[in-house]
Amino acid sequence: MIVLVALNLRPAVVAVGPLLRQIQDDLDLSGTAAGALTTLPVLFFGSYGLIAPFTRRRPRGETLLVTSMALLVLGLLVRVIPLQPTLFGGALLAGIAISIGNIAVPAIIKRDHPQAITTVTAVYTVAITAGAAVSTGVVVPLRHALGSGWRPPLMLLAIPAALAGIAWLPRLRGVAAATPPPEAGSSKVWRSALAWQVTCFMGLQSLLAYVTNGWLSSVFLDRGLSDATAGYALGLTNLVQAAGALLVPVLARRLRDQRPLVALTVLLTAAGYAGSIWAPAGSVWLWIVILGLGQGLGFATALSFIGLRTSDPHMTAQLSGMAQGVGYVIAALGPLAVGAVHDATHGWTAPGVLVLAVSAVMLVPGLGAGRDRTVGEEAAPADRHTAAV
């Protein structure tokens, strides 16, 4: 059931990338405005997490997921109305919808699968990346097959979102309407250095992921690939992220903590970006595989931190809200900054240097978050092993 929701938590955003050039031409958008189109939903990816701590009673996860899918369907349909305000308004609604799902799922995993956090999180991550990969890989061929513009392929994304919402409806029966938030839970999280390390790692790896989905197709087009091939390449790097995510529970069994996973994430991500931008065009398929492995590994590790670094589902919900609420605000800066730098320099060298710098900086909070501790008990015994897989 979680997988059905996960499949819909990225296509509304990442499927825009392969069609971005057509959207720009159709609506006469600048590079900065096009970057804002992919930035806007990401900016709101964690919005519910920032609001939830201030609500008197918090809806159960099942209610949140049905609400998430309903709002997502609405946002997808509004976005294809042929007006610029609805294009950006629909993107905003989609971002809010995804934020609700983003925050709800880690707490459900902690509640229902406390002994298998990394494994279930890896499966959840695979489903997210699979949804992203399929959507980015098919939107351009679908546009060609339909003989249409960019709107119909994006509108069709509403169908699987509706099906996921319908599938969760039976779970609402007999579920309590709401649960009160834990006393002082939020303040403990916001005062925790460990929570901020988790948040910064989440934000920086997400920033790089949305730069990939927002701009990598444009990089490939400027390097001479066709629009269909650029879409396939972006789809492949998203698909390979699933393999990177599946490595997390496998490697975690052999490690005392997650710091080696963080280091490997940084190495593969930086190498993948450098090769995709500057290596000979004929080798691009190798580099996008390396990039996909690194980003899949990083995403699954970041999501696992939310459950591994907390002691109970209530605290998990609090850290999930903080890490994704603040983290996705950080992430939203990526596509916008790359678009602005590309507009200013008319090339990909400066944006490439920027993403490599972010990759290096990501190592610092990642190594802090990777140590085996929990929020509120951050001076854990050195001999404690990694949480259950």
Side-chain angles (χ1 to χ4, degrees):
M1 294 288 285
I2 288 175
V3 168
L4 292 177
V5 171
L7 289 171
N8 290 280
L9 291 181
R10 294 300 179 270
V13 178
V14 301
V16 171
L19 300 172
L20 192 57
R21 192 63 60 86
Q22 287 74 39
I23 297 172
Q24 282 185 269
D25 293 341
D26 185 25
L27 300 177
D28 194 26
L29 299 177
S30 68
T32 303
L37 184 60
T38 56
T39 296
L40 187 61
V42 177
L43 185 62
F44 282 84
F45 264 19
S47 57
Y48 178 74
L50 296 176
I51 295 171
F54 301 99
T55 58
R56 294 187 64 182
R57 298 187 68 82
R58 187 170 303 126
R60 288 286 299 271
E62 290 81 357
T63 303
L64 291 174
L65 293 185
V66 172
T67 303
S68 169
M69 293 299 100
L71 284 176
L72 183 57
V73 170
L74 179 61
L76 288 166
L77 296 179
V78 167
R79 187 169 62 178
V80 299
I81 296 173
L83 297 170
Q84 278 200 27
T86 56
L87 174 71
F88 287 92
L92 186 152
L93 276 175
I96 293 172
I98 292 169
S99 80
I100 297 172
N102 281 341
I103 303 306
V105 171
I108 291 175
I109 291 174
K110 180 75 170 183
R111 182 193 71 192
D112 295 347
H113 308 282
Q115 302 304 315
I117 292 171
T118 52
T119 300
V120 177
T121 300
V123 173
Y124 167 60
T125 307
V126 167
I128 290 177
T129 56
V134 171
S135 61
T136 54
V138 304
V139 287
V140 172
L142 189 58
R143 178 174 68 85
H144 292 163
L146 295 173
S148 67
W150 54 269
R151 289 184 174 88
L154 294 183
M155 182 173 61
L156 291 175
L157 298 176
I159 295 174
L163 294 175
I166 291 169
W168 273 87
L169 283 174
R171 296 284 297 270
L172 296 180
R173 297 176 182 175
V175 172
T179 55
E183 293 184 8
S186 179
S187 61
K188 180 184 292 186
V189 169
W190 289 89
R191 294 195 307 266
S192 166
L194 174 58
W196 279 106
Q197 290 165 342
V198 171
T199 297
C200 290
F201 182 74
M202 168 64 78
L204 293 176
Q205 66 83 29
S206 296
L207 182 154
L208 295 173
Y210 289 102
V211 167
T212 296
N213 285 303
W215 288 108
L216 198 60
S217 289
S218 296
V219 172
F220 293 153
L221 288 173
D222 288 345
R223 301 201 69 189
L225 277 66
S226 69
D227 60 349
T229 302
Y232 289 139
L234 185 58
L236 178 60
T237 197
N238 278 292
L239 186 62
V240 173
Q241 286 182 28
L246 288 174
L247 285 174
V248 171
V250 174
L251 295 175
R253 294 187 180 97
R254 296 166 171 80
L255 300 171
R256 293 182 63 87
D257 59 36
Q258 292 78 42
R259 282 176 290 182
L261 297 179
V262 170
L264 186 58
T265 293
V266 171
L267 177 63
L268 293 175
T269 301
Y273 270 126
S276 296
I277 296 171
W278 293 300
S283 66
V284 73
W285 299 99
L286 168 64
W287 298 110
I288 61 173
V289 168
I290 292 173
L291 178 61
L293 285 172
Q295 294 195 316
L297 189 69
F299 186 37
T301 300
L303 287 176
S304 294
F305 283 158
I306 295 173
L308 293 173
R309 301 286 90 94
T310 52
S311 57
D312 59 68
H314 288 302
M315 188 62 71
T316 302
Q318 296 290 345
L319 182 57
S320 180
M322 176 182 174
Q324 298 191 73
V326 177
Y328 283 122
V329 172
I330 296 171
L333 301 175
L336 189 62
V338 167
V341 172
H342 180 257
D343 278 352
T345 62
H346 305 289
W348 293 108
T349 297
V353 171
L354 176 63
V355 296
L356 290 181
V358 173
S359 299
V361 170
M362 181 171 64
L363 185 65
V364 177
L367 291 178
R371 288 180 290 174
D372 186 16
R373 303 169 298 161
T374 58
V375 172
E377 301 174 356
E378 298 178 21
D383 60 346
R384 190 175 64 186
H385 287 281
T386 303
V389 297

